[in-house]
Amino acid sequence: MVRIRGGRSAAIRGAAAGCTLLMAAAVTGCGGDDKPAAKHRPAAMAGKSGAALPVPRGRGSKVPDDFNGDGAPDLVLDDLVHDGLGDDAGIGIVYGKKGHGLVPGARQLLRPTKYAAPTKGETPAAFDSEASCDLDKDGFTDLVVSTDPPFDGQGQPPVPLQILFGGPGGLTHRGVKLVVPAQARFGNDWPDQPVCGDFDGDGSVDLTVHASGGRLSFLRGPFTRKGAPRAAGKPLTAPGNVPVGPAFDVDRDGYDDLLVRRTSSGSSPSRIVLGGPQGPARSGAALPSGLGLAVGRFTKGAGADTALLTASGVTLSRPGAPALKATGTAITTGDFDGDGVAELVVSGGASKAPKILPANGRAAVTVTPEAAGTTQVLQATDLDGDGRADLAVRTYRGESTDTIAVYPGVKGGSLLAGKPQVTFSTAEF
């Protein structure tokens, strides 16, 4: 899922074709004619004077981040630029069209007054997306959000996470509070930092949630529509306090694995935690400190490699791999040319233009944003269904103006189209 994250959990996510476990800033339908639109033709979002397009109805799919189940990934956005909606404007959803990509006019604003479950009659002030996955196994992606329920500071705080369940019309129902059974909790920290994955290999999506004191709450799916897991045991011991998603089967054994950072600091060391019948309970490879870390397939037929972003560049875990020169603060990946090998995207820092670094030694590709300002990489995932990852970036100009642009992946050394296929602003929400 392409998304901007904020709120209490400061979740770190990325989505990519061929690589999905990240320590980096990172997110990801519409009915009608299935004929693909002309390539690289910007599509304006319906303006304030015109009605937005209706959310199309789907029948369910296995596509990630497909809230309305029509077979096309959708885009989630936090921190919308919008005057007059208070400190938290809500969460924006832009729906996609199968074989086409995002359709900015088919959009939805999830405001906490309408979509958040109240606590003691109080509507949450914070409402931020955290994770997306099909928790109830009905073919529609669900959205996990963080809130700020009232708490007097005594004992265990309430669970701040809520689930908005997807359906044929998208995210249409008010959220329900995630149930973390008492036996699965430990300590007095907020139970947050949710990560989706099939950690026990039973075919249903589970959740891991931070507990405290180096422990994780492991909630087995599928979940009920009241937010309760199928089962939950005692918290699992972990090599750190910050689980990071999305999950990724690092060792290809059929169980999803996840990254756990020692602390929430930006350069904290981390370790891969391996899934198994008991969930994410086995410690895997230790990973050093860095500004960002990505795990993915950077060579054909190989297992997972790690790419560590430091102040001097990117270091790959593959034996004999040369260091890649890069300047930035965040890293994500995507298979932009569809050859089965992931490329690295470095963004942030002194260089405002994101750079794509092929791990096979080819020349780096600079992404030139459509607008001036501070650019943030949102997502690298296959939005139009052509087998190649597309890159979604967001450029801020001040506090009330932004531009989101989606660049399609292409075959060959250029990796990305020179012009975006879609551009729009979150101000239209």
Side-chain angles (χ1 to χ4, degrees):
M1 170 172 60
V2 179
R3 68 191 85 232
I4 307 170
R5 295 269 187 270
R8 183 198 326 279
S9 296
I12 305 169
R13 293 190 50 132
C19 172
T20 51
L21 179 62
L22 307 172
M23 266 182 65
V27 30
T28 155
C30 199
D33 188 1
D34 285 334
K35 182 180 179 181
K39 290 186 177 180
H40 322 321
R41 178 187 236 172
M45 177 175 280
K48 295 178 182 178
S49 60
L53 298 174
V55 175
R57 296 185 66 82
R59 298 182 178 180
S61 79
K62 294 183 179 180
V63 173
D65 305 313
D66 184 8
F67 301 107
N68 59 336
D70 68 343
D74 308 316
L75 172 70
V76 181
L77 294 162
D78 286 311
D79 302 325
L80 309 179
V81 295
H82 201 305
D83 294 331
L85 288 180
D87 292 336
D88 192 340
I91 301 168
I93 310 291
V94 178
Y95 289 87
K97 178 179 179 180
K98 189 174 182 179
H100 175 97
L102 295 179
V103 180
R107 63 187 186 269
Q108 183 181 19
L109 176 62
L110 306 175
R111 297 217 64 197
T113 52
K114 181 177 180 180
Y115 289 94
T119 298
K120 298 180 180 179
E122 182 176 326
T123 299
F127 200 59
D128 299 291
S129 65
E130 294 293 350
S132 63
C133 47
D134 185 4
L135 291 170
D136 57 351
K137 209 174 181 179
D138 65 351
F140 301 91
T141 301
D142 312 309
L143 184 66
V144 183
V145 301
S146 62
T147 66
D148 58 346
F151 176 52
D152 62 7
Q154 303 299 313
Q156 286 189 333
V159 178
L161 302 174
Q162 299 187 13
I163 304 172
L164 277 67
F165 288 99
L171 300 169
T172 58
H173 299 289
R174 188 179 291 273
V176 300
K177 297 174 183 179
L178 175 68
V179 177
V180 181
Q183 71 270 16
R185 296 194 63 173
F186 180 86
N188 293 330
D189 286 357
W190 290 91
D192 54 13
Q193 309 285 357
V195 178
C196 299
D198 183 8
F199 301 107
D200 58 7
D202 67 351
S204 298
V205 176
D206 315 307
L207 278 178
T208 60
V209 178
H210 163 72
S212 68
R215 289 172 174 81
L216 300 176
S217 296
F218 174 49
L219 312 177
R220 296 180 187 262
F223 287 69
T224 71
R225 294 300 288 254
K226 293 184 178 180
R230 175 179 62 82
K234 293 181 179 180
L236 303 176
T237 301
N241 282 299
V242 186
V244 178
F248 189 72
D249 186 2
V250 173
D251 51 3
R252 294 188 175 184
D253 64 351
Y255 302 96
D256 280 341
D257 314 307
L258 79 156
L259 198 70
V260 176
R261 300 172 67 184
R262 186 178 298 170
T263 68
S264 59
S265 67
S267 59
S268 171
S270 56
R271 183 181 288 272
I272 292 174
V273 177
L274 302 173
Q278 304 307 314
R282 299 175 294 135
S283 290
L287 303 168
S289 300
L291 299 174
L293 180 79
V295 180
R297 317 246 185 255
F298 304 127
T299 56
K300 288 186 177 179
D305 296 316
T306 61
L308 180 69
L309 175 64
T310 67
S312 58
V314 177
T315 301
L316 299 179
S317 64
R318 190 167 67 253
L324 303 174
K325 293 182 179 180
T327 301
T329 58
I331 188 170
T332 186
T333 66
D335 180 7
F336 298 104
D337 55 4
D339 66 352
V341 176
E343 288 82 39
L344 297 160
V345 184
V346 176
S347 59
S351 174
K352 292 183 171 128
K355 288 185 180 295
I356 301 177
L357 307 176
N360 58 7
R362 288 186 295 174
V365 174
T366 299
V367 181
T368 303
E370 281 294 287
T374 301
T375 297
Q376 176 187 22
V377 171
L378 300 180
Q379 177 186 22
T381 196
D382 185 7
L383 292 168
D384 55 13
D386 65 356
R388 297 185 292 270
D390 310 309
L391 188 70
V393 298
R394 179 177 183 178
T395 303
Y396 291 91
R397 298 185 303 282
E399 296 182 355
S400 60
T401 306
D402 71 352
T403 298
I404 291 176
V406 179
Y407 296 83
V410 296
K411 295 180 180 179
S414 61
L415 296 176
L416 283 183
K419 292 291 183 180
Q421 184 182 37
V422 173
T423 59
F424 60 93
S425 170
T426 67
E428 297 298 343
F429 283 94

